[in-house]
Amino acid sequence: MVKKNLHNRIYFDEIIDRISGLTVDSYRKWGEMNVAQMLKHCDLILQIALGKMKIAPINPLFETIGFLTKVEMRIFNNGIPRNMPTFQKLIVNFECNFDESREGLLKTMNEYWDTYTHHHLPERHVLFGKMTEKDWGFLEYKHLNHHLKQFNV
């Protein structure tokens, strides 16, 4: 089974194409966010890898759960379950402009690629712990894929 990641240009471009295929009327299969809010949420998540979004330290129990989740996803290559809890700072429950949200995410995607190719991704994630470049590429792909499937692209 192929483990897709954002550090393979084929899969990176696939995600870009899927984002570009969204419309303001894209239908949501689950969850509460509309398509513009989802795009903004994905942008915020990617900004963690860029060091632009900081998440406060968490309880050691949650760190352990996060680490185990990362390991489980790497071993079994499974997806992210629907309606998972997220950090309060990353919840987008306010009105967003679709075009601005999509352009913002596409811009952040390109910044992510540049950060990755220059080997400047962080060594730690507040939830998942120690991170390799491979971890970042895999988990960011999984997150984007999860939300793009949510909106049928």
Side-chain angles (χ1 to χ4, degrees), residues 44-90:
L44 293 173
I45 294 288
L46 272 176
Q47 288 184 36
I48 293 170
L50 301 175
K52 292 181 173 184
M53 174 63 68
K54 303 288 186 199
I55 304 297
I58 59 174
N59 177 308
L61 174 64
F62 290 121
E63 285 181 33
T64 302
I65 292 169
F67 172 78
L68 293 173
T69 300
K70 176 181 74 170
V71 170
E72 179 215 358
M73 286 177 66
R74 297 282 299 154
I75 292 171
F76 298 107
N77 197 25
N78 55 358
I80 298 170
R82 295 178 181 184
N83 301 309
M84 286 289 291
T86 192
F87 292 99
Q88 187 67 36
K89 199 172 186 179
L90 303 171

Side-chain angles (χ1 to χ4, degrees), residues 63-133:
E63 285 181 33
T64 302
I65 292 169
F67 172 78
L68 293 173
T69 300
K70 176 181 74 170
V71 170
E72 179 215 358
M73 286 177 66
R74 297 282 299 154
I75 292 171
F76 298 107
N77 197 25
N78 55 358
I80 298 170
R82 295 178 181 184
N83 301 309
M84 286 289 291
T86 192
F87 292 99
Q88 187 67 36
K89 199 172 186 179
L90 303 171
I91 294 173
V92 179
N93 56 7
F94 49 88
E95 210 50 47
C96 298
N97 176 282
F98 173 78
D99 292 321
E100 289 174 8
S101 295
R102 183 169 58 181
E103 289 310 309
L105 176 54
L106 290 171
K107 180 178 180 260
T108 301
M109 289 282 298
N110 287 321
E111 288 178 49
Y112 178 88
W113 183 261
D114 188 57
T115 299
Y116 156 65
T117 58
H118 288 92
H119 307 288
H120 292 302
L121 292 170
E123 295 180 5
R124 291 198 60 76
H125 184 283
V126 71
L127 178 62
F128 298 122
K130 184 172 173 19
M131 295 284 282
T132 64
E133 283 186 347

Side-chain angles (χ1 to χ4, degrees), residues 24-66:
V24 69
D25 299 317
S26 290
Y27 175 75
R28 161 184 80 222
K29 292 198 280 189
W30 73 83
E32 297 184 22
M33 291 185 289
N34 64 35
V35 66
Q37 291 169 322
M38 177 275 291
L39 290 165
K40 181 66 176 174
H41 166 74
C42 289
D43 189 351
L44 293 173
I45 294 288
L46 272 176
Q47 288 184 36
I48 293 170
L50 301 175
K52 292 181 173 184
M53 174 63 68
K54 303 288 186 199
I55 304 297
I58 59 174
N59 177 308
L61 174 64
F62 290 121
E63 285 181 33
T64 302
I65 292 169

